mmCIF file of all heavy atoms in Angstrom:
data_model
loop_
_atom_site.group_PDB
_atom_site.id
_atom_site.type_symbol
_atom_site.label_atom_id
_atom_site.label_comp_id
_atom_site.label_asym_id
_atom_site.label_seq_id
_atom_site.Cartn_x
_atom_site.Cartn_y
_atom_site.Cartn_z
ATOM 1 N N PRO A 1 61.399 8.010 19.418
ATOM 2 C CA PRO A 1 62.263 8.230 20.485
ATOM 3 C C PRO A 1 61.653 8.061 21.845
ATOM 4 O O PRO A 1 62.197 7.566 22.824
ATOM 5 C CB PRO A 1 62.765 9.693 20.277
ATOM 6 C CG PRO A 1 62.676 9.810 18.826
ATOM 7 C CD PRO A 1 61.437 9.103 18.400
ATOM 8 N N LEU A 2 60.389 8.544 22.003
ATOM 9 C CA LEU A 2 59.688 8.512 23.242
ATOM 10 C C LEU A 2 59.436 7.057 23.740
ATOM 11 O O LEU A 2 59.742 6.620 24.774
ATOM 12 C CB LEU A 2 58.394 9.256 23.279
ATOM 13 C CG LEU A 2 57.529 9.303 24.437
ATOM 14 C CD1 LEU A 2 58.289 9.903 25.577
ATOM 15 C CD2 LEU A 2 56.210 10.037 24.275
ATOM 16 N N VAL A 3 58.837 6.307 22.773
ATOM 17 C CA VAL A 3 58.512 4.905 23.083
ATOM 18 C C VAL A 3 59.812 4.047 23.301
ATOM 19 O O VAL A 3 59.926 3.260 24.285
ATOM 20 C CB VAL A 3 57.612 4.236 21.941
ATOM 21 C CG1 VAL A 3 57.420 2.806 22.265
ATOM 22 C CG2 VAL A 3 56.347 4.991 21.816
ATOM 23 N N SER A 4 60.743 4.181 22.418
ATOM 24 C CA SER A 4 62.013 3.375 22.508
ATOM 25 C C SER A 4 62.815 3.699 23.814
ATOM 26 O O SER A 4 63.303 2.807 24.497
ATOM 27 C CB SER A 4 62.875 3.518 21.296
ATOM 28 O OG SER A 4 63.273 4.884 21.127
ATOM 29 N N SER A 5 62.834 4.929 24.163
ATOM 30 C CA SER A 5 63.616 5.336 25.482
ATOM 31 C C SER A 5 63.003 4.796 26.665
ATOM 32 O O SER A 5 63.635 4.184 27.573
ATOM 33 C CB SER A 5 63.649 6.864 25.469
ATOM 34 O OG SER A 5 64.368 7.470 24.512
ATOM 35 N N LEU A 6 61.631 4.875 26.760
ATOM 36 C CA LEU A 6 61.054 4.315 27.984
ATOM 37 C C LEU A 6 60.953 2.812 27.992
ATOM 38 O O LEU A 6 61.193 2.168 29.097
ATOM 39 C CB LEU A 6 59.583 4.921 28.044
ATOM 40 C CG LEU A 6 59.492 6.435 28.233
ATOM 41 C CD1 LEU A 6 58.086 6.928 28.340
ATOM 42 C CD2 LEU A 6 60.258 6.929 29.482
ATOM 43 N N THR A 7 60.860 2.215 26.866
ATOM 44 C CA THR A 7 60.980 0.762 26.827
ATOM 45 C C THR A 7 62.295 0.222 27.253
ATOM 46 O O THR A 7 62.423 -0.763 28.050
ATOM 47 C CB THR A 7 60.695 0.297 25.350
ATOM 48 O OG1 THR A 7 59.385 0.650 24.909
ATOM 49 C CG2 THR A 7 60.700 -1.298 25.300
ATOM 50 N N GLU A 8 63.352 0.899 26.814
ATOM 51 C CA GLU A 8 64.662 0.571 27.240
ATOM 52 C C GLU A 8 64.960 0.705 28.697
ATOM 53 O O GLU A 8 65.705 -0.065 29.326
ATOM 54 C CB GLU A 8 65.726 1.376 26.433
ATOM 55 C CG GLU A 8 65.806 1.055 24.963
ATOM 56 C CD GLU A 8 66.629 2.060 24.162
ATOM 57 O OE1 GLU A 8 67.205 3.017 24.786
ATOM 58 O OE2 GLU A 8 66.649 1.955 22.907
ATOM 59 N N ALA A 9 64.245 1.760 29.321
ATOM 60 C CA ALA A 9 64.404 1.991 30.746
ATOM 61 C C ALA A 9 63.860 0.800 31.403
ATOM 62 O O ALA A 9 64.420 0.294 32.403
ATOM 63 C CB ALA A 9 63.757 3.298 31.120
ATOM 64 N N TYR A 10 62.705 0.427 31.123
ATOM 65 C CA TYR A 10 62.035 -0.788 31.752
ATOM 66 C C TYR A 10 62.935 -1.961 31.573
ATOM 67 O O TYR A 10 63.062 -2.720 32.531
ATOM 68 C CB TYR A 10 60.629 -1.037 31.141
ATOM 69 C CG TYR A 10 59.944 -2.367 31.449
ATOM 70 C CD1 TYR A 10 59.370 -2.533 32.736
ATOM 71 C CD2 TYR A 10 60.041 -3.467 30.594
ATOM 72 C CE1 TYR A 10 58.845 -3.694 33.083
ATOM 73 C CE2 TYR A 10 59.540 -4.614 30.918
ATOM 74 C CZ TYR A 10 58.948 -4.807 32.164
ATOM 75 O OH TYR A 10 58.431 -6.030 32.590
ATOM 76 N N GLN A 11 63.353 -2.234 30.366
ATOM 77 C CA GLN A 11 64.224 -3.391 30.120
ATOM 78 C C GLN A 11 65.481 -3.455 30.957
ATOM 79 O O GLN A 11 65.877 -4.508 31.518
ATOM 80 C CB GLN A 11 64.472 -3.536 28.698
ATOM 81 C CG GLN A 11 63.267 -3.798 27.734
ATOM 82 C CD GLN A 11 63.566 -3.790 26.309
ATOM 83 O OE1 GLN A 11 64.622 -3.179 25.855
ATOM 84 N NE2 GLN A 11 62.678 -4.375 25.456
ATOM 85 N N GLU A 12 66.090 -2.291 31.064
ATOM 86 C CA GLU A 12 67.403 -2.161 31.800
ATOM 87 C C GLU A 12 67.220 -2.510 33.299
ATOM 88 O O GLU A 12 68.031 -3.174 33.808
ATOM 89 C CB GLU A 12 67.928 -0.729 31.648
ATOM 90 C CG GLU A 12 69.220 -0.500 32.328
ATOM 91 C CD GLU A 12 69.783 0.898 32.161
ATOM 92 O OE1 GLU A 12 69.712 1.375 31.007
ATOM 93 O OE2 GLU A 12 70.200 1.558 33.098
ATOM 94 N N VAL A 13 66.103 -2.049 33.864
ATOM 95 C CA VAL A 13 65.860 -2.251 35.284
ATOM 96 C C VAL A 13 65.336 -3.666 35.613
ATOM 97 O O VAL A 13 65.732 -4.332 36.554
ATOM 98 C CB VAL A 13 64.823 -1.233 35.922
ATOM 99 C CG1 VAL A 13 64.562 -1.599 37.343
ATOM 100 C CG2 VAL A 13 65.430 0.199 35.776
ATOM 101 N N THR A 14 64.438 -4.234 34.737
ATOM 102 C CA THR A 14 63.855 -5.473 35.006
ATOM 103 C C THR A 14 64.516 -6.692 34.313
ATOM 104 O O THR A 14 64.294 -7.840 34.779
ATOM 105 C CB THR A 14 62.368 -5.453 34.572
ATOM 106 O OG1 THR A 14 62.207 -5.329 33.140
ATOM 107 C CG2 THR A 14 61.652 -4.328 35.237
ATOM 108 N N GLY A 15 65.125 -6.463 33.231
ATOM 109 C CA GLY A 15 65.797 -7.544 32.422
ATOM 110 C C GLY A 15 64.697 -8.199 31.583
ATOM 111 O O GLY A 15 65.072 -9.123 30.823
ATOM 112 N N ASP A 16 63.516 -7.697 31.586
ATOM 113 C CA ASP A 16 62.423 -8.298 30.756
ATOM 114 C C ASP A 16 62.456 -7.663 29.348
ATOM 115 O O ASP A 16 62.144 -6.527 29.139
ATOM 116 C CB ASP A 16 61.093 -8.010 31.398
ATOM 117 C CG ASP A 16 59.907 -8.464 30.553
ATOM 118 O OD1 ASP A 16 60.139 -9.217 29.600
ATOM 119 O OD2 ASP A 16 58.789 -8.049 30.881
ATOM 120 N N THR A 17 62.925 -8.486 28.401
ATOM 121 C CA THR A 17 62.949 -8.026 27.018
ATOM 122 C C THR A 17 61.841 -8.624 26.178
ATOM 123 O O THR A 17 61.664 -8.443 25.008
ATOM 124 C CB THR A 17 64.349 -8.252 26.349
ATOM 125 O OG1 THR A 17 64.576 -9.638 26.408
ATOM 126 C CG2 THR A 17 65.423 -7.483 27.071
ATOM 127 N N GLU A 18 61.053 -9.518 26.695
ATOM 128 C CA GLU A 18 60.019 -10.242 25.978
ATOM 129 C C GLU A 18 58.744 -9.446 25.898
ATOM 130 O O GLU A 18 58.051 -9.410 24.922
ATOM 131 C CB GLU A 18 59.699 -11.578 26.654
ATOM 132 C CG GLU A 18 60.844 -12.538 26.544
ATOM 133 C CD GLU A 18 60.468 -13.896 27.088
ATOM 134 O OE1 GLU A 18 59.242 -14.138 27.397
ATOM 135 O OE2 GLU A 18 61.372 -14.772 27.192
ATOM 136 N N THR A 19 58.330 -8.747 26.974
ATOM 137 C CA THR A 19 57.152 -7.913 27.000
ATOM 138 C C THR A 19 57.374 -6.635 26.201
ATOM 139 O O THR A 19 58.311 -5.912 26.375
ATOM 140 C CB THR A 19 56.783 -7.537 28.445
ATOM 141 O OG1 THR A 19 56.768 -8.738 29.282
ATOM 142 C CG2 THR A 19 55.344 -6.911 28.498
ATOM 143 N N GLN A 20 56.448 -6.413 25.238
ATOM 144 C CA GLN A 20 56.677 -5.323 24.256
ATOM 145 C C GLN A 20 55.601 -4.279 24.480
ATOM 146 O O GLN A 20 54.500 -4.417 25.159
ATOM 147 C CB GLN A 20 56.548 -5.896 22.845
ATOM 148 C CG GLN A 20 57.587 -6.866 22.442
ATOM 149 C CD GLN A 20 59.043 -6.234 22.489
ATOM 150 O OE1 GLN A 20 59.278 -5.217 21.896
ATOM 151 N NE2 GLN A 20 59.908 -6.884 23.233
ATOM 152 N N PRO A 21 55.860 -3.050 24.006
ATOM 153 C CA PRO A 21 54.865 -2.030 24.016
ATOM 154 C C PRO A 21 53.542 -2.451 23.508
ATOM 155 O O PRO A 21 53.472 -3.322 22.659
ATOM 156 C CB PRO A 21 55.435 -0.852 23.097
ATOM 157 C CG PRO A 21 56.936 -1.047 23.219
ATOM 158 C CD PRO A 21 57.113 -2.597 23.283
ATOM 159 N N MET A 22 52.468 -1.923 24.086
ATOM 160 C CA MET A 22 51.157 -2.419 23.777
ATOM 161 C C MET A 22 50.098 -1.368 23.494
ATOM 162 O O MET A 22 50.298 -0.162 23.803
ATOM 163 C CB MET A 22 50.649 -3.318 24.912
ATOM 164 C CG MET A 22 50.449 -2.508 26.217
ATOM 165 S SD MET A 22 50.339 -3.580 27.654
ATOM 166 C CE MET A 22 52.030 -3.901 28.024
ATOM 167 N N VAL A 23 49.025 -1.772 22.808
ATOM 168 C CA VAL A 23 47.889 -0.935 22.579
ATOM 169 C C VAL A 23 46.857 -1.384 23.571
ATOM 170 O O VAL A 23 46.534 -2.540 23.747
ATOM 171 C CB VAL A 23 47.389 -1.072 21.150
ATOM 172 C CG1 VAL A 23 46.030 -0.409 20.998
ATOM 173 C CG2 VAL A 23 48.413 -0.494 20.219
ATOM 174 N N ILE A 24 46.106 -0.444 24.279
ATOM 175 C CA ILE A 24 45.102 -0.814 25.209
ATOM 176 C C ILE A 24 43.846 -0.118 24.867
ATOM 177 O O ILE A 24 43.663 0.774 24.106
ATOM 178 C CB ILE A 24 45.548 -0.409 26.648
ATOM 179 C CG1 ILE A 24 45.720 1.146 26.741
ATOM 180 C CG2 ILE A 24 46.838 -1.094 27.097
ATOM 181 C CD1 ILE A 24 45.775 1.677 28.256
ATOM 182 N N GLY A 25 42.730 -0.642 25.577
ATOM 183 C CA GLY A 25 41.451 -0.083 25.479
ATOM 184 C C GLY A 25 41.198 1.095 26.447
ATOM 185 O O GLY A 25 40.293 1.909 26.262
ATOM 186 N N GLY A 26 42.032 1.109 27.550
ATOM 187 C CA GLY A 26 41.814 2.154 28.539
ATOM 188 C C GLY A 26 42.372 3.559 28.027
ATOM 189 O O GLY A 26 43.224 3.569 27.133
ATOM 190 N N GLY A 27 41.754 4.529 28.613
ATOM 191 C CA GLY A 27 42.187 5.892 28.133
ATOM 192 C C GLY A 27 43.009 6.467 29.269
ATOM 193 O O GLY A 27 42.640 6.381 30.476
ATOM 194 N N THR A 28 44.137 7.167 29.049
ATOM 195 C CA THR A 28 44.996 7.813 30.039
ATOM 196 C C THR A 28 45.083 9.277 29.654
ATOM 197 O O THR A 28 44.582 9.795 28.628
ATOM 198 C CB THR A 28 46.322 7.087 30.100
ATOM 199 O OG1 THR A 28 47.078 7.587 28.925
ATOM 200 C CG2 THR A 28 46.191 5.677 30.107
ATOM 201 N N TYR A 29 45.793 9.914 30.590
ATOM 202 C CA TYR A 29 46.082 11.352 30.347
ATOM 203 C C TYR A 29 46.866 11.612 28.990
ATOM 204 O O TYR A 29 46.961 12.726 28.562
ATOM 205 C CB TYR A 29 46.987 11.874 31.532
ATOM 206 C CG TYR A 29 46.134 12.480 32.634
ATOM 207 C CD1 TYR A 29 46.748 12.534 33.958
ATOM 208 C CD2 TYR A 29 44.851 12.843 32.541
ATOM 209 C CE1 TYR A 29 46.018 13.043 34.999
ATOM 210 C CE2 TYR A 29 44.146 13.468 33.572
ATOM 211 C CZ TYR A 29 44.749 13.539 34.822
ATOM 212 O OH TYR A 29 44.004 14.043 35.865
ATOM 213 N N ALA A 30 47.444 10.542 28.455
ATOM 214 C CA ALA A 30 48.266 10.767 27.294
ATOM 215 C C ALA A 30 47.439 11.338 26.136
ATOM 216 O O ALA A 30 48.003 12.004 25.282
ATOM 217 C CB ALA A 30 48.910 9.372 26.811
ATOM 218 N N LYS A 31 46.161 11.101 26.129
ATOM 219 C CA LYS A 31 45.281 11.625 25.115
ATOM 220 C C LYS A 31 45.033 13.103 25.337
ATOM 221 O O LYS A 31 44.505 13.803 24.358
ATOM 222 C CB LYS A 31 43.999 10.914 25.060
ATOM 223 C CG LYS A 31 43.969 9.459 24.378
ATOM 224 C CD LYS A 31 42.574 9.045 24.178
ATOM 225 C CE LYS A 31 42.651 7.692 23.383
ATOM 226 N NZ LYS A 31 42.002 6.614 24.066
ATOM 227 N N GLY A 32 45.379 13.694 26.524
ATOM 228 C CA GLY A 32 44.986 15.057 26.754
ATOM 229 C C GLY A 32 46.163 15.944 26.724
ATOM 230 O O GLY A 32 45.965 17.209 27.018
ATOM 231 N N ILE A 33 47.356 15.473 26.491
ATOM 232 C CA ILE A 33 48.582 16.337 26.486
ATOM 233 C C ILE A 33 49.585 15.824 25.486
ATOM 234 O O ILE A 33 49.700 14.560 25.349
ATOM 235 C CB ILE A 33 49.197 16.450 27.932
ATOM 236 C CG1 ILE A 33 50.315 17.457 27.966
ATOM 237 C CG2 ILE A 33 49.588 15.028 28.395
ATOM 238 C CD1 ILE A 33 50.683 17.856 29.362
ATOM 239 N N ASP A 34 50.161 16.688 24.673
ATOM 240 C CA ASP A 34 50.999 16.236 23.614
ATOM 241 C C ASP A 34 52.264 15.522 24.011
ATOM 242 O O ASP A 34 52.779 15.626 25.168
ATOM 243 C CB ASP A 34 51.393 17.412 22.769
ATOM 244 C CG ASP A 34 50.222 18.134 22.026
ATOM 245 O OD1 ASP A 34 49.194 17.414 21.885
ATOM 246 O OD2 ASP A 34 50.361 19.269 21.580
ATOM 247 N N HIS A 35 52.829 14.639 23.103
ATOM 248 C CA HIS A 35 54.155 13.986 23.287
ATOM 249 C C HIS A 35 54.225 13.190 24.541
ATOM 250 O O HIS A 35 55.244 13.113 25.192
ATOM 251 C CB HIS A 35 55.260 15.059 23.355
ATOM 252 C CG HIS A 35 55.122 16.162 22.194
ATOM 253 N ND1 HIS A 35 55.105 17.481 22.471
ATOM 254 C CD2 HIS A 35 54.907 15.978 20.949
ATOM 255 C CE1 HIS A 35 54.946 18.139 21.391
ATOM 256 N NE2 HIS A 35 54.828 17.280 20.413
ATOM 257 N N THR A 36 53.052 12.453 24.826
ATOM 258 C CA THR A 36 52.994 11.698 26.101
ATOM 259 C C THR A 36 52.508 10.312 25.824
ATOM 260 O O THR A 36 51.537 10.146 25.015
ATOM 261 C CB THR A 36 52.164 12.455 27.066
ATOM 262 O OG1 THR A 36 52.734 13.715 27.340
ATOM 263 C CG2 THR A 36 51.973 11.615 28.440
ATOM 264 N N ILE A 37 52.986 9.414 26.547
ATOM 265 C CA ILE A 37 52.440 7.981 26.540
ATOM 266 C C ILE A 37 52.336 7.439 27.960
ATOM 267 O O ILE A 37 52.991 7.970 28.826
ATOM 268 C CB ILE A 37 53.294 7.000 25.677
ATOM 269 C CG1 ILE A 37 54.714 6.851 26.231
ATOM 270 C CG2 ILE A 37 53.363 7.355 24.228
ATOM 271 C CD1 ILE A 37 55.498 5.723 25.597
ATOM 272 N N ALA A 38 51.574 6.365 28.134
ATOM 273 C CA ALA A 38 51.514 5.695 29.431
ATOM 274 C C ALA A 38 52.673 4.846 29.659
ATOM 275 O O ALA A 38 53.053 4.097 28.757
ATOM 276 C CB ALA A 38 50.231 4.859 29.533
ATOM 277 N N PHE A 39 53.316 4.946 30.759
ATOM 278 C CA PHE A 39 54.539 4.211 31.127
ATOM 279 C C PHE A 39 54.365 3.708 32.560
ATOM 280 O O PHE A 39 54.554 4.441 33.438
ATOM 281 C CB PHE A 39 55.756 5.206 31.061
ATOM 282 C CG PHE A 39 57.097 4.612 31.363
ATOM 283 C CD1 PHE A 39 57.519 3.448 30.843
ATOM 284 C CD2 PHE A 39 57.965 5.431 32.209
ATOM 285 C CE1 PHE A 39 58.791 2.923 31.163
ATOM 286 C CE2 PHE A 39 59.229 4.912 32.481
ATOM 287 C CZ PHE A 39 59.586 3.704 31.950
ATOM 288 N N GLY A 40 54.158 2.367 32.639
ATOM 289 C CA GLY A 40 53.769 1.848 34.051
ATOM 290 C C GLY A 40 52.396 2.373 34.307
ATOM 291 O O GLY A 40 51.676 3.003 33.549
ATOM 292 N N CYS A 41 51.780 2.024 35.537
ATOM 293 C CA CYS A 41 52.519 1.521 36.699
ATOM 294 C C CYS A 41 52.412 -0.011 36.872
ATOM 295 O O CYS A 41 52.992 -0.589 37.746
ATOM 296 C CB CYS A 41 52.083 2.232 37.904
ATOM 297 S SG CYS A 41 50.254 2.084 38.134
#
């Protein structure tokens, strides 16, 4: 639900449906707090 909701928000505003959720090497605050992912910027 978290990933799909935020992905849909990006798609709705930008119209970009080709770019998909990704895995990165960078570390964000998402690792330090539950139920959180990086969204933008």
